[in-house]
Amino acid sequence: MIEDNYRQRGLRNNLVKKLRLKGILDESVLKAIGKVPRHVFFDNALLNHAYEDKAFPIGEGQTISQPYTVAFQTEKLEIKQGDKVLEIGTGSGYQAAILVELGAKVYTIEFQKKLYEHTKEFLPQIGYKPLFFFGDGSKGIPAKAPYDKIIVTAGAPVIPDALIEQLTENGILIIPVGDREKQKMVRIIKKNGKLLKEEFDSFAFVPLLGEQGWK
Ligand code: SAH
């Protein structure tokens, strides 16, 4: 286990300050980012980069999202203690850890077997215990639906119908939608059977694969 010393905590506090300057306002989100040790998700060779506000490779051609992106998506979800949250794209597990830290009951699904196996083993070792699923999350996880919140951490070509269906009344979906290189962050809120849609800035995610994703 890699230690979490005063130096790492100092770097993490600086990262939190930077995110605040970049416009993240939700104190509970900032607190969670200040708490989850991001450096333990990194290989030794990249350890010095753990508290930069950048995405990094985590193997299998996938990435750990940029802290600003994690903070932005999480803030838009307005997580409350006990919320049932579905995350599509477990990856490193960092985003899932932030959600658990905020008191959510997290269901996370990953399409790459090796990543699924790695993160399912690793994350509980550092104290975060979401429920792990392997498979195509572009269809959600119907068997466990509905969810108060759904977060997609890979870029989608369209908003999968299945995800909207699996939201509770007043549920919130946050999903990057666009082409393979660049996506607009979209938030859908389900209210009185209607869908409220908001669009935010552009981001660059790895592609969402699967039935409702890229072929
Ligand atoms: N949330 C992650 C970021 C992951 S990058 C983190 O905090 O580190 C996006 C992830 O989505 C990749 O691991 C990729 O394998 C996964 N993915 C892509 N398409 C998927 C699908 N249809 N279902 C589930 N996971 C998918």
Side-chain angles (χ1 to χ4, degrees):
M1 175 65 50
I2 307 166
E3 64 168 342
D4 186 33
N5 60 27
Y6 75 95
R7 181 168 170 272
Q8 311 290 0
R9 285 196 292 274
L11 290 170
R12 212 151 55 232
N13 285 337
N14 287 341
L15 173 62
V16 166
K17 277 185 201 149
K18 202 176 285 173
L19 294 178
R20 204 177 257 128
L21 289 174
K22 287 186 176 178
I24 302 300
L25 299 172
D26 187 323
E27 287 300 325
S28 64
V29 172
L30 291 167
K31 197 169 158 202
I33 295 210
K35 208 154 168 212
V36 177
R38 193 165 190 264
H39 64 283
V40 305
F41 293 80
F42 281 64
D43 285 344
N44 271 330
L46 290 172
L47 208 53
N48 286 333
H49 299 289
Y51 293 106
E52 291 170 13
D53 189 20
K54 285 186 187 156
F56 273 96
I58 51 167
E60 309 305 315
Q62 301 302 329
T63 50
I64 178 169
S65 298
Q66 183 180 342
Y68 175 74
T69 306
V70 171
F72 189 92
Q73 283 196 292
T74 308
E75 183 169 73
K76 293 292 178 265
L77 282 177
E78 300 174 9
I79 301 291
K80 289 179 203 70
Q81 189 83 24
D83 270 356
K84 186 174 163 188
V85 181
L86 172 62
E87 179 197 24
I88 294 146
T90 309
S92 68
Y94 179 71
Q95 171 74 71
I98 295 287
L99 293 166
V100 170
E101 192 64 62
L102 284 164
K105 179 161 174 46
V106 180
Y107 295 69
T108 184
I109 182 165
E110 173 57 51
F111 209 14
Q112 286 214 33
K113 196 66 182 275
K114 273 195 184 160
L115 265 178
Y116 158 77
E117 275 166 358
H118 168 81
T119 303
K120 188 176 128 156
E121 168 104 19
F122 167 73
L123 210 55
Q125 285 173 16
I126 61 163
Y128 296 106
K129 299 183 176 132
L131 297 162
F132 294 96
F133 296 82
F134 168 64
D136 176 10
S138 75
K139 299 181 286 188
I141 310 178
K144 305 288 177 190
Y147 308 95
D148 300 307
K149 314 281 161 73
I150 301 179
I151 174 171
V152 181
T153 67
V158 293
I159 299 174
D161 290 339
L163 300 187
I164 291 183
E165 279 159 27
Q166 290 170 37
L167 274 181
T168 57
E169 170 67 18
N170 294 316
I172 301 179
L173 164 67
I174 186 98
I175 178 170
V177 187
D179 57 37
R180 267 183 180 263
E181 281 74 42
K182 210 172 166 201
Q183 306 88 26
K184 274 248 148 60
M185 194 64 79
V186 175
R187 177 164 76 169
I188 305 275
I189 305 179
K190 211 187 223 183
K191 263 214 161 84
N192 305 318
K194 291 214 177 89
L195 302 176
L196 247 115
K197 185 176 173 180
E198 295 162 273
E199 270 191 25
F200 303 100
D201 286 348
S202 291
F203 291 83
F205 283 82
V206 299
L208 178 74
L209 304 176
E211 212 165 274
Q212 309 268 307
W214 294 94
K215 298 291 178 276

